[in-house]
Amino acid sequence: MCGIVGHVGAERAAPVLLEGLQRLEYRGYDSAGVAVVEGDAIRIVRSVGKLSGLRDKLAGVELTGTLGIGHTRWATHGRPSEENAHPHAVDGVVVVHNGIIENYLALRAELTAAGQRFASETDTEVIPHLVSGYLKQGAGLEQAVRQALARLDGSYALAAITPSEPGRLVAARKASPLVVGLSDDATYVASDVPALLPYTRRFIFLEDEDMAVCEAGTVRIVNLREGPVERPVQTIQWSPAMAEKGGYKHFMLKEIFEQPRAIADTLAGKLGVEPGTVHLDGGEAAEKAVREIRRLHIVACGTSWHAGLVGKYWIEQLARVPVEVSLASEFRYQDPILGPDIGLLLVSQSGETADTLAALAEGRGKGTPVLSICNVVGSSIARASDGVLYTHAGPEIGVASTKAFTTQLVTLYLLALHLAAVRKALPAADLKARVERLRTLPMAVEHALELDPEVERVAKTIVDAKSALFLGRGLQYPIALEGALKLKEISYIHAEGYAAGEMKHGPIALVDNELPVISIATRGATYDKMLSNIEEVRARDGRILCVATAGDDAVAGISEQVLYVPAFDEELMPIITSIPLQLLAYHVAVFKGTDVDQPRNLAKSVTVE
C-alpha cells in the first residue's frame, strides 16, 4: 500500500521518479505526486487517480533537478484529493510517507496552537511541520528528521528533502518497508525493489528505526536506537525484464504462465542429489526448529492462508506433526499457546504484511522459534525469522497472487517431506517416490496451462453471474476457497468457497438455475463423496462446472461443463487444479472490463493493520 521513490544523483530526477512509481502501481493507490528541487525552490506536481493523470501534468512542466521524491498514496486519513496527495511541503521541507502516525491528532493540535496552518487532512503533514520547525531552530536536515521521528508514534517509511541541502535525501523506516538502491553516481530509495531495477541491482534493506542519509552514490545509515550501523549490500538477481509484461496483456496472465518456471526455480537446490533427499535453505536455526518442534502453528493472510491450509494437510499426513492454521489478523488476539517446542511458520509473499509481522512479534515474545516462507529476499519477515525458506517466484506485480501461491504450496510440501525425513515418519522408498514426482511437477503445470483457450470459452458463460459457489473436499477445499477469492477480487463477482460436504448445511439454499457452482472433482480419496455433492446441486438445477481428471467420463455425465486437468499424484493435485481457477478468474475479469492487475480497493502489500 502506497509507494515511495527517491533519487539523488547526476541525472534528472523526474523521469526516474515517474518510472519508479509506475513499477509500484501494483501496491495500490488513489493519488500520486512528485517533488523536485529546482535551484533554491521545490516544484511539486500532484494528481488524483492513475499515474496517467500525473504524467499528463508533468508533460507541461520542465523539471531539470537531480534531487527528488515521488509517491503513490492509498487514502487512510483524508479522502483521495490533490490536497491530500503526497508530497507534502512546509516552508521548504518536502516529505513523502507510508504508514500511519497514530498520535497525529495530538501533534496537529500542538502545531496549530503554535500558529501552524495545515493544508491537508492527512496524518503525514505533521512530519514536514515538525522537520521545518527544527530546521528553523538551526538543525540540519538529518538532525531535524531525527528529532521529528522521536515525536512520532506509529509506523512510517518516509523520505525528506529541502532546497537548503540540494545534494541530500534523508529516509527512514519503522514497521513499513524501505530499500536503498546504490549505483556509481546515484542513490535511490523505494518501497520495493522492482521500482529501481532499471537503475541498479545493489540494495540495502533498511531495518526498523534505521535512518539513511543519501548522497549521490553513497549512503550512511544511523539506527535511532543503536547509532551508526553497517547494513549489508545485497545483489538482487531479478532483471528489469522479469518485472515487465513480456508481451502479455496483463501482469497477472504473465505470472500465471510463469508458474512452471517459478516452480522449477523453487525446487532448484532443494532436491538433493541423493535420491529422496530434500534440503531447506533456512540455515541451522531452521534445521534446529525442524528437529525440535512437536507442533506447528502456520500464520498467514489471504491467499497465503489458503496455502497454509493445504500445508496443514501435508505436514500432518506426511510428518505426523500437529498443525494449526490461523489468520494473522486474528492470531495475537487469540492469546495463542506458544513456546520453545511449538514452531511458528509465517507465510507471506511480500514479507512486509503488517498483521503477519505482528504475529511474528507475538511469537518472539513467547520464545517460539519462527520460520517463514517468503518470496522477497531481505524483507522484514525474512530478516526477523530464525530461518526463511524462499519461494524464488520472482517479482509478482499483479495484485491477485498466482505464482507466489503455487510456489508457497511447493515450499510447504518440501517442508512436509523434510519434516517426515527428519522424524522418519515415512519409509525411505515412499520419500524417494514423492521427491521424484516433484521433479515432474513443472511439466504437469505446463500441461494444465494448455487449458487456457477452453477456460476462456467457459468464462464467457459465467461472466454475467451475480454470484458463484466453489466446492472442494479434502486437499481441494482450500483450493475452492482460493478460486472464490480470485474470482471476487478481480472480477467483483461475489463468490464463496465451501467444503462440499458442508454445502447442505446452508449454501445449498443459494442453488438455482442461475448460480454457477464450480466443483473440484479430481480423482482421489473423496472423489465418490464429491460426485454425490454434485448430484445434490444438479437436483436443484444448479449450473455445474467441474474441474476433473483427464479421461473422467463420469463427471462429464453430470456437469454442464468440464475442465480436464492432467492426471497427477493426488497429494500434489492442489497445485494443478489451481491453474484453471486462476485462468477462469482472469478471463471473467477481462470480459467484464475490470482492472485485472490493480483491482479496486486492493493493494499488493498491506502494510497497515
Side-chain angles (χ1 to χ4, degrees):
M1 301 172 76
C2 305
I4 287 173
V5 180
H7 171 272
V8 54
E11 62 182 309
R12 292 171 57 214
V16 176
L17 302 178
L18 196 58
E19 180 167 5
L21 293 178
Q22 183 174 329
R23 291 172 178 271
L24 293 177
E25 282 191 294
Y26 66 90
R27 294 175 68 88
Y29 69 102
D30 44 48
S31 60
V34 298
V36 177
V37 171
E38 298 283 321
D40 59 357
I42 291 270
R43 297 289 300 276
I44 298 176
V45 181
R46 301 182 293 187
S47 69
V48 178
K50 294 296 185 182
L51 274 173
S52 57
L54 179 63
R55 189 178 292 106
D56 290 344
K57 280 193 170 185
L58 286 170
V61 180
E62 181 66 24
L63 296 176
T64 60
T66 61
L67 171 64
I69 52 179
H71 191 265
T72 50
R73 174 182 184 253
W74 174 282
T76 54
H77 296 73
R79 67 195 188 285
S81 68
E82 192 166 313
E83 293 77 14
N84 289 331
H86 298 214
H88 289 292
V90 175
D91 296 335
V93 173
V94 185
V95 170
V96 292
H97 161 240
N98 295 346
I100 293 178
I101 306 304
E102 295 172 358
N103 62 332
Y104 89 100
L105 286 175
L107 291 171
R108 185 173 178 130
E110 173 191 321
L111 291 162
T112 300
Q116 298 294 309
R117 300 185 64 180
F118 283 76
S120 77
E121 304 167 285
T122 69
D123 56 334
T124 298
E125 197 182 347
V126 301
I127 303 172
H129 275 284
L130 289 170
V131 174
S132 68
Y134 293 126
L135 283 176
K136 290 172 184 175
Q137 295 173 19
L141 181 62
E142 176 184 350
Q143 182 61 25
V145 170
R146 184 182 186 123
Q147 290 176 275
L149 295 178
R151 303 289 310 280
L152 305 181
D153 294 334
S155 61
Y156 55 76
L158 62 84
I161 58 175
T162 180
S164 63
E165 299 186 30
R168 177 169 293 177
L169 182 157
V170 177
R173 68 151 286 175
K174 179 182 179 183
S176 192
L178 200 66
V179 301
V180 176
L182 295 168
S183 68
D184 291 340
D185 57 1
T187 300
Y188 313 84
V189 297
S191 300
D192 205 353
V193 166
L196 305 179
L197 286 176
Y199 309 103
T200 183
R201 295 194 197 175
R202 297 170 58 232
F203 291 90
I204 296 173
F205 294 85
L206 297 182
E207 299 189 7
D208 264 2
E209 298 192 71
D210 277 356
M211 183 173 69
V213 182
C214 305
E215 298 180 351
T218 66
V219 62
R220 177 168 46 84
I221 299 173
V222 178
N223 186 273
L224 301 180
R225 289 174 284 105
E226 303 171 15
V229 292
E230 294 286 336
R231 302 295 184 210
V233 178
Q234 300 188 37
T235 300
I236 300 299
Q237 298 304 319
W238 299 349
S239 68
M242 292 175 72
E244 298 291 351
K245 292 181 184 176
Y248 288 92
K249 186 176 181 180
H250 296 97
F251 280 113
M252 182 180 178
L253 185 62
K254 171 179 178 277
E255 288 154 8
I256 289 172
F257 275 86
E258 285 177 337
Q259 287 175 108
R261 189 272 308 159
I263 290 170
D265 287 350
T266 297
L267 292 172
K270 295 189 180 75
L271 299 184
V273 176
E274 296 180 22
T277 56
V278 174
H279 302 302
L280 302 184
D281 53 5
E284 178 53 34
E287 292 291 350
K288 183 174 185 293
V290 165
R291 288 193 302 269
E292 296 179 0
I293 59 171
R294 61 181 180 85
R295 289 173 50 203
L296 188 63
H297 211 131
I298 299 175
V299 179
C301 300
T303 286
S304 297
W305 181 66
H306 297 156
L309 292 174
V310 179
K312 171 183 168 69
Y313 280 90
W314 286 332
I315 294 169
E316 290 188 340
Q317 289 175 1
L318 300 179
R320 309 309 296 167
V321 175
V323 178
E324 294 183 56
V325 185
S326 294
L327 290 163
S329 57
E330 296 292 327
F331 180 69
R332 59 185 172 143
Y333 304 108
Q334 300 168 358
D335 191 18
I337 299 171
L338 298 170
D341 59 348
I342 302 174
L344 185 61
L345 176 62
L346 309 175
V347 186
S348 171
Q349 188 282 136
S350 68
E352 301 292 350
T353 305
D355 288 320
T356 311
L357 281 164
L360 190 154
E362 180 78 9
R364 278 271 175 262
K366 294 185 176 181
T368 295
V370 179
L371 305 178
S372 62
I373 292 175
C374 187
N375 188 41
V376 180
V377 175
S379 60
S380 296
I381 288 172
R383 292 199 310 274
S385 299
D386 294 313
V388 56
L389 311 177
Y390 286 113
T391 54
H392 303 295
E396 187 177 69
I397 306 302
V399 167
S401 182
T402 52
K403 64 177 181 175
F405 174 64
T406 51
T407 54
Q408 285 172 350
L409 291 178
V410 169
T411 306
L412 283 160
Y413 189 74
L414 287 164
L415 177 60
L417 292 180
H418 190 68
L419 283 164
V422 168
R423 285 167 163 70
K424 301 188 186 309
L426 280 178
D430 288 355
L431 190 63
K432 177 182 176 182
R434 285 175 167 86
V435 170
E436 291 310 304
R437 280 196 293 270
L438 265 178
R439 298 184 192 276
T440 66
L441 181 61
M443 184 61 70
V445 172
E446 190 88 52
H447 290 323
L449 287 166
E450 295 171 3
L451 279 169
D452 185 46
E454 179 66 11
V455 177
E456 184 176 15
R457 184 192 65 75
V458 170
K460 287 182 182 178
T461 69
I462 67 170
V463 70
D464 294 324
K466 303 300 182 188
S467 187
L469 183 62
F470 287 71
L471 301 178
R473 297 191 74 130
L475 280 163
Q476 299 296 348
Y477 165 48
I479 305 306
L481 295 175
E482 175 63 10
L485 177 61
K486 283 291 156 286
L487 186 67
K488 75 180 83 171
E489 67 184 342
I490 65 170
S491 75
Y492 315 148
I493 293 175
H494 170 260
E496 188 170 356
Y498 231 80
E502 290 293 298
M503 178 186 59
K504 53 186 167 290
H505 298 292
I508 200 166
L510 300 172
V511 176
D512 59 21
N513 61 8
E514 294 184 354
L515 180 74
V517 180
I518 296 92
S519 302
I520 309 172
T522 50
R523 291 195 179 277
T526 59
Y527 173 74
D528 291 335
K529 297 292 186 184
M530 192 70 206
L531 293 188
S532 297
N533 298 141
I534 294 170
E535 288 284 12
E536 291 172 342
V537 175
R538 187 184 182 204
R540 290 155 181 84
D541 296 324
R543 298 178 58 193
I544 302 168
L545 188 163
C546 281
V547 176
T549 308
D552 187 347
D553 296 331
V555 169
I558 60 174
S559 304
E560 180 181 310
Q561 302 181 91
V562 183
L563 294 170
Y564 286 111
V565 295
F568 205 70
D569 180 74
E570 181 184 358
E571 281 178 358
L572 293 169
M573 192 57 92
I575 299 168
I576 307 297
T577 55
S578 298
I579 305 301
L581 299 187
Q582 293 172 355
L583 289 167
L584 183 67
Y586 170 79
H587 286 299
V588 171
V590 170
F591 287 134
K592 289 182 71 69
T594 61
D595 191 338
V596 173
D597 287 333
Q598 300 165 50
R600 69 188 182 201
N601 303 332
L602 294 178
K604 186 66 175 176
S605 179
V606 183
T607 55
V608 294
E609 293 185 62

